[in-house]
Amino acid sequence: MLPTTATASAPPPPPPPPAAGAGASASASASGEPHAALILALGHMRLRELLACARACRGLREAVAGDPLLWRRLVVEPPLSNRITDEALLALADRARGTLRSLHLLGCPRVSDAGLLRVVQRNPGVTELFVPKCTGLTADGLVKIIQFLHECKGNLSRVRLHGICRMTNHHLDVINSLICRSSQHDAHALYYNHRVREVLNTDDGRPIDVDVCPLCRNVRLVFDCTRTDCREVKDVWSRCRGCSFCVARCETCGGCIDLEELGETGLACSDFLCMDCWLKLPKCSTCNRPYCERHSNLKENLSPSGEFTCQECTAFATSFESLGDGD
Amino acid sequence: MEVDKGKGEAEETRKVAEADRDTVTLKSSDGKLFEVSKEAAARLSTVLAGMIAGGSIDDNGTDLKQIGSEALENVVDYCNKHANSIPSAALISSSISFNTAPFKEPEEWERKFVDRLSHDALFDLVEAANFLGMERLLDVTCHKISEMMKGKSPDQIREVFNIKNDYTKEELEEIRQELAWAFYDD
């Protein structure tokens, strides 16, 4: 490999000169320096990995700290969510040197209104603000923050706010009026999916994730029904459009489940399934209850043919045995 | 390898012949030749597209001095596989996506493609993809590296990626304090 300077697309901060070995074996094994490819890969790493890399050696630390482009998009997700504090968030956001565009705080309970306000004050160009389930934030505080971004002539176009306490219709109206809407704002249907709860991040095109539930009038994620016949008949559609508290939804297909059905489709885990999806799944050999797809890893004593016992039945059997041993 | 027809031949005819061919020949740093479909090369690599449009493609093998034969073989392999795969847009056209990253998850064949590579081969491929301006290949390979890092401690990263710890004790302490919030338990 000939050392050359004329690369087509300039990589982020030039790494220490790559080991100029011959041919394919130009790995950094001899020098112990990080391979140039690692520096290119930094842009694809999640926050936790990025920080771990920075701790590995000087070269990587400089590459991580020296490139504001790596920090334009800051996603704090579990397991870091529970740990990040106002100070730590500010320090991370400052690495973008004012160019932060997309801030995702997914369930970060220790971030406060004041802390988030300081971050946006230093980064008024934020266009995406995702703070679902950040229980340390308040609806009033968020309105203030979004107001600030609006006054800065920012271009805030997408927010994710579900799981923020005491959000009222009034808050939602104000926020709605402050958000830049792209010209083609089409009301997508939002379908229930367990991943919404797990990832805490509905990353579709809509400007605001929450809405007023037509049934309970609270500001929450409001799901449409996936069943076409539910949506086609107008009356029924409006009845089964609602938040997850008002309408039980199938974990697998996202369709509504009525109460009668719910009584018959018992699961070994705590989720809900509609009858159609329930019938298709393999059941526990003792209690005849299935696990939903999400919890299928909890199956015990799984035989090659697919027979299994659920955790509850296994626990019951073992406790019974140990009782017998004790006598 | 074809003997070159002599530079005396009219440039015009050569250009025409070139435009008719539907493959381009690439030459690695160690002189090996690889053929790849012109359409795929132009679609997947901005640099090759530029070279094809600019007419700087050499019939006898366009010199890519920065890329070793092993990496170039992988690049060509990727281009060929990509040409055969189902267009990706059709697969993931659902109106809702729950991705946290802006980048589309690698498809099954892409995953298999990078999984079989050794560390060195993967690293070389990253550099080759960067050099050739192959955005998707760069995404897929870098994604693989970031997956390899997932959940690893700095010590493990050093071990896996063969990096020497060049920090002084004081620096380590400084970093520990700076990132105590994130790593206090390891």
Side-chain angles (χ1 to χ4, degrees):
Chain A
M1 194 186 271
L2 290 173
T4 99
T5 47
T7 45
S9 56
S25 63
S27 90
S29 46
S31 63
E33 292 281 346
H35 196 283
L38 274 185
I39 305 215
L40 288 170
L42 288 176
H44 286 74
M45 284 181 202
R46 287 160 185 259
L47 180 61
R48 199 204 153 278
E49 278 70 53
L50 209 52
L51 294 177
C53 277
R55 288 174 68 197
C57 77
R58 278 185 192 160
L60 284 173
R61 189 186 183 205
E62 280 160 21
V64 168
D67 186 2
L69 286 179
L70 290 175
W71 300 93
R72 277 168 61 103
R73 183 185 151 81
L74 178 57
V75 180
V76 185
E77 55 195 342
L80 294 183
S81 296
N82 282 326
R83 300 181 180 173
I84 194 161
T85 57
D86 284 345
E87 290 72 40
L89 176 63
L90 194 64
L92 288 182
D94 277 348
R95 295 185 179 204
R97 299 184 200 152
T99 63
L100 184 66
R101 288 290 171 273
S102 173
L103 179 61
H104 295 202
L105 302 174
L106 310 181
C108 303
R110 295 165 75 179
V111 174
S112 72
D113 291 336
L116 188 57
L117 184 61
R118 260 188 299 163
V119 170
V120 298
Q121 278 169 343
R122 297 198 197 178
N123 296 279
V126 171
T127 59
E128 275 187 358
L129 187 64
F130 287 20
V131 289
K133 303 202 177 175
C134 289
T135 43
L137 299 174
T138 66
D140 287 334
L142 272 168
V143 167
K144 233 177 260 171
I145 286 162
I146 294 171
Q147 186 114 40
F148 171 83
L149 285 172
H150 180 73
E151 280 161 12
C152 290
K153 302 266 184 297
N155 198 19
L156 184 67
S157 52
R158 298 209 297 161
V159 291
R160 295 293 176 267
L161 306 169
H162 67 271
I164 299 290
C165 299
R166 298 205 195 96
M167 178 88 76
T168 63
N169 296 4
H170 176 68
H171 292 125
L172 189 60
D173 286 343
V174 178
I175 291 171
N176 254 316
S177 68
L178 294 175
I179 289 215
C180 302
R181 288 178 186 277
S182 53
S183 50
Q184 42 134 5
H185 162 236
D186 44 351
H188 286 296
L190 180 62
Y191 297 129
Y192 179 78
N193 186 303
H194 63 78
R195 279 177 294 181
V196 174
R197 289 202 320 233
E198 282 203 334
V199 181
L200 309 172
N201 181 19
T202 51
D203 201 10
D204 53 12
R206 52 178 60 217
I208 301 184
D209 56 342
V210 288
D211 201 349
V212 180
C213 171
L215 300 169
C216 65
R217 312 305 300 171
N218 284 312
V219 177
R220 294 201 177 118
L221 285 179
V222 177
F223 300 104
D224 294 288
C225 199
T226 49
R227 299 181 204 284
T228 38
D229 39 341
C230 275
R231 276 178 293 150
E232 273 160 15
V233 186
K234 263 255 158 81
D235 289 349
V236 185
W237 184 81
S238 60
R239 240 196 305 140
C240 69
R241 180 172 188 268
C243 68
S244 57
F245 291 91
C246 294
V247 182
R249 299 222 175 262
C250 173
E251 205 60 41
T252 304
C253 70
C256 59
I257 317 173
D258 62 42
L259 284 174
E260 272 175 45
E261 222 178 327
L262 212 51
E264 287 169 31
T265 57
L267 258 74
C269 51
S270 57
D271 290 328
F272 303 131
L273 287 181
C274 69
M275 185 59 88
D276 286 348
C277 297
W278 187 85
L279 286 172
K280 283 179 205 152
L281 289 174
K283 317 283 188 297
C284 164
S285 52
T286 313
C287 66
N288 197 36
R289 294 180 305 171
Y291 277 115
C292 68
E293 260 170 57
R294 185 157 70 112
H295 292 116
S296 60
N297 57 329
L298 297 179
K299 288 174 183 171
E300 300 207 13
N301 311 326
L302 195 64
S303 75
S305 61
E307 267 186 34
F308 68 96
T309 359
C310 68
Q311 280 196 322
E312 211 174 299
C313 292
T314 316
F316 185 69
T318 44
S319 69
F320 207 65
E321 272 168 27
S322 62
L323 259 181
D325 291 344
D327 284 342
Chain B
M1 305 318 106
E2 273 188 53
V3 202
D4 64 322
K5 292 169 187 161
K7 304 283 179 214
E9 283 213 28
E11 194 77 338
E12 279 300 303
T13 49
R14 226 195 79 187
K15 280 241 171 95
V16 170
E18 213 171 85
D20 285 348
R21 285 180 54 193
D22 52 3
T23 61
V24 285
T25 310
L26 305 175
K27 192 169 167 189
S28 68
S29 61
D30 42 352
K32 287 196 184 150
L33 295 175
F34 297 92
E35 289 236 332
V36 62
S37 124
K38 191 181 258 180
E39 184 275 327
R43 183 162 44 92
L44 297 169
S45 156
T46 52
V47 172
L48 289 179
M51 286 167 96
I52 291 168
S56 54
I57 286 287
D58 192 337
D59 247 351
N60 305 313
T62 306
D63 262 336
L64 299 171
K65 292 211 175 69
Q66 288 77 7
I67 305 178
S69 58
E70 198 190 341
L72 193 56
E73 189 178 348
N74 284 323
V75 166
V76 169
D77 200 13
Y78 178 83
C79 288
N80 291 339
K81 282 195 172 132
H82 205 287
N84 298 333
S85 78
I86 319 147
S88 54
L91 279 174
I92 328 167
S93 63
S94 102
S95 60
I96 26 172
S97 106
F98 296 93
N99 285 346
T100 40
F103 134 86
K104 262 195 228 147
E105 285 291 305
E107 285 163 41
E108 188 58 35
W109 70 270
E110 288 174 317
R111 206 177 281 278
K112 276 188 194 145
F113 178 79
V114 289
D115 279 350
R116 62 177 178 82
L117 299 173
S118 71
H119 278 193
D120 281 347
L122 181 64
F123 285 180
D124 290 338
L125 188 56
V126 169
E127 286 190 291
N130 181 50
F131 175 73
L132 289 171
M134 301 177 70
E135 204 179 321
R136 179 62 187 171
L137 181 57
L138 189 61
D139 277 351
V140 170
T141 46
C142 285
H143 180 77
K144 170 69 185 169
I145 293 184
S146 107
E147 270 185 355
M148 286 156 68
M149 296 249 173
K150 202 166 180 184
K152 292 209 165 52
S153 70
D155 278 336
Q156 289 167 318
I157 289 179
R158 284 184 207 117
E159 197 186 313
V160 172
F161 295 97
N162 219 334
I163 298 169
K164 211 177 121 218
N165 184 357
D166 52 3
Y167 282 127
T168 61
K169 245 189 174 161
E170 293 76 40
E171 281 174 316
L172 276 179
E173 182 54 27
E174 185 194 318
I175 296 169
R176 211 193 66 82
Q177 287 188 356
E178 183 187 315
L179 298 175
W181 66 272
F183 296 101
Y184 61 81
D185 58 348
D186 59 39

